[in-house]
Amino acid sequence: MKELTTKDLVDKLNLEIISGDKGLDRKIISDELSRPALQLAGYFSYYSPQRIQILGTSELSFFKLVADIEKKSRMRMLCTRITPCIIVTRGLNVPKELIEASNKYDTPVLRSKNDTTKVMGSISNYLQKEFAPTISIHGVFIEVYGIGVLITGESGIGKSEIALELIKRGHRLIADDRVDIKELEKDYLIGNCESTLIKHLLEIRGLGIINVMTLFGTGAVRSDKRLQLNIHLETWNEAKQYDRIGLSDEYKEILNSKIEKKTIPVRPGRNVAIIIESAAMNYRLNKMGINTAEEFTNRLEEEIRKKNIRNSKGE
C-alpha cells in the first residue's frame, strides 16, 4: 500500500495549517474518517486515533457546551501521537484548547473553508485512489469512443502501431508499454500511467519514441480512464477455431475484478484498428441492452422452427 503523510493531504486539498506543524510527516494508514462527537462528550472507549478526525459545526457547537474544566482533557485525549490530523471545516474558529493540545503532542490541526460533507468526500476519494490495490500490466491503454480499452498481446505484434492508428482516428492515449491499474472497488478499475518518464509517449519500432501530445495535441491524450474492455491480439492460427458469432463470453481477471475480453487474430490485411473501434461500439451497445449476436441466434432459431413446421405439413 502506498505511504501517505499528512503533508501530502495538505498539498492535495490546499488545507490551512493552524497548529502542530511538526507532525506533518505523520503517516496516514487508514482511508476511514471519524467525526468524534462521542469523544467530545467524554466517551473514548472506541476512539480510533489512527483515523483522520473531522470537526464540523455540530461538533464544535457541542464543544462550546462542555464544561471549561473538561475542555482541555477532551482535546488532549483527541490529539494522540498517532492521529494523522484534525481538520476543522467551514473555516470555523479553532478552540484554543485544541491548539494547545496539538502543539503539545505535535498533532496537526488543519482547516478548510469548504463544508463538512464536501471535505469528507474529497478526502475519501483521494485516499481511496491512493490506497487502492495496484498492478502494472504490459500493454497499451487507449480510450475508444469513451470506452477504456486495454490492448494486450505478445511483444512485437503491433500494439503500439495499432494505437497510433487509433489516435490518428481521433481516439486518446492513456498509457503505452506499462499500464498502471488501480482497483477502486470490485469490477471498477482505473488505468493510468504513473511514470512521468513514459507519460504521453509511444514507442514505434523502426521510428522510435514519439510524443503523442506534441504531435497530435492535448486532445489526443488523457491522464486516466476506467478500464472496461480488453482486446488481446494474437498471431493468426489456422488450426484454432475463432468465435464468428460473438456468443462466447471471455473475461480477463485483474486483481479481484473481471473485464470483458475479446481475442483478435492478427494477420496481414486485417485492419485491426477498425476492428477495435467496432468492438468498443459493440460493447456500448451490449451495455445498452442490444446484443446483435443473441438477436441473430434468435432469428436463426425462429427460421429453423418455421422450416420444421412447413416440413411437418408437407409444404
Side-chain angles (χ1 to χ4, degrees):
M1 185 172 67
K2 183 175 180 179
E3 285 192 353
L4 289 178
T5 65
T6 302
K7 182 66 165 57
D8 295 325
L9 187 66
V10 170
D11 294 339
K12 179 67 177 180
L13 301 182
N14 194 27
L15 300 171
E16 178 187 0
I17 302 171
I18 302 297
S19 57
D21 55 331
K22 292 181 180 179
L24 290 176
D25 60 348
R26 289 190 180 183
K27 288 182 173 55
I28 301 174
I29 62 173
S30 173
D31 60 356
E32 295 182 336
L33 310 179
S34 288
R35 297 187 67 175
L38 288 175
Q39 286 72 33
L40 293 178
Y43 186 74
F44 280 85
S45 296
Y46 294 96
Y47 179 47
S48 301
Q50 75 278 5
R51 299 179 182 178
I52 295 172
Q53 308 296 319
I54 308 292
L55 298 178
T57 304
S58 300
E59 290 79 14
L60 292 181
S61 297
F62 174 79
F63 184 70
K64 291 179 181 179
L65 303 177
V66 176
D68 292 341
I69 194 172
E70 298 287 344
K71 286 183 176 180
K72 287 187 177 181
S73 64
R74 302 279 167 84
M75 288 306 181
R76 281 199 300 267
M77 294 179 72
L78 204 62
C79 296
T80 72
R81 295 288 186 183
I82 63 172
T83 303
C85 61
I86 299 172
I87 301 177
V88 176
T89 62
R90 293 183 176 272
L92 298 170
N93 292 327
V94 181
K96 65 180 187 299
E97 294 86 0
L98 177 56
I99 294 176
E100 291 173 2
S102 72
N103 285 327
K104 182 177 181 180
Y105 297 104
D106 296 330
T107 302
V109 173
L110 314 173
R111 182 162 59 188
S112 172
K113 294 180 180 179
N114 294 324
D115 60 61
T116 307
T117 303
K118 184 176 291 186
V119 170
M120 293 183 70
S122 298
I123 295 174
S124 293
N125 289 337
Y126 172 62
L127 296 182
Q128 186 183 31
K129 285 184 178 181
E130 295 299 320
F131 288 155
T134 304
I135 191 173
S136 295
I137 292 180
H138 177 68
V140 181
F141 190 32
I142 193 163
E143 181 192 55
V144 181
Y145 294 127
I147 304 299
V149 179
L150 174 65
I151 305 174
T152 57
E154 62 188 58
S155 181
I157 201 167
K159 298 184 294 294
S160 297
E161 289 80 358
I162 293 167
L164 180 60
E165 175 65 23
L166 289 168
I167 292 165
K168 287 179 61 180
R169 296 172 68 88
H171 308 293
R172 297 195 283 182
L173 175 72
I174 300 152
D176 177 46
D177 191 51
R178 193 190 84 175
V179 184
D180 301 305
I181 300 171
K182 292 184 177 182
E183 185 181 52
L184 299 188
E185 57 186 70
K186 185 173 174 58
D187 297 328
Y188 194 97
L189 303 169
I190 293 290
N192 67 352
C193 178
E194 293 188 353
S195 173
T196 56
L197 181 64
I198 60 174
K199 198 176 186 68
H200 302 154
L201 302 183
L202 199 61
E203 178 192 354
I204 306 296
R205 283 179 171 81
L207 180 61
I209 306 295
I210 65 172
N211 190 314
V212 172
M213 187 171 70
T214 303
L215 284 178
F216 299 98
T218 56
V221 297
R222 64 174 296 163
S223 59
D224 56 32
K225 177 68 181 175
R226 181 180 178 184
L227 175 54
Q228 297 160 284
L229 179 63
N230 171 222
I231 300 294
H232 183 73
L233 307 179
E234 68 176 33
T235 304
W236 189 292
N237 184 354
E238 296 290 347
K240 183 176 180 180
Q241 292 292 326
Y242 293 102
D243 185 13
R244 301 182 63 178
I245 298 178
L247 285 176
S248 62
D249 294 327
E250 190 178 4
Y251 297 94
K252 181 177 180 64
E253 291 190 9
I254 300 176
L255 296 170
N256 295 312
S257 300
K258 289 183 179 180
I259 61 169
E260 189 172 326
K261 177 182 178 180
K262 298 294 182 184
T263 299
I264 306 297
V266 177
R267 69 178 180 182
R270 296 200 91 196
N271 193 327
V272 180
I274 292 179
I275 294 174
I276 293 176
E277 283 184 330
S278 300
M281 289 188 288
N282 194 56
Y283 175 87
R284 293 182 66 180
L285 279 176
N286 290 345
K287 292 302 177 183
M288 295 168 63
I290 303 172
N291 192 312
T292 305
E294 289 183 358
E295 290 178 359
F296 170 76
T297 303
N298 292 336
R299 291 205 309 244
L300 180 61
E301 290 176 350
E302 180 64 19
E303 286 296 322
I304 294 174
R305 187 185 68 81
K306 289 179 180 179
K307 185 176 180 181
N308 290 336
I309 291 174
R310 289 197 297 267
N311 289 340
S312 64
K313 292 180 179 181
E315 297 180 4

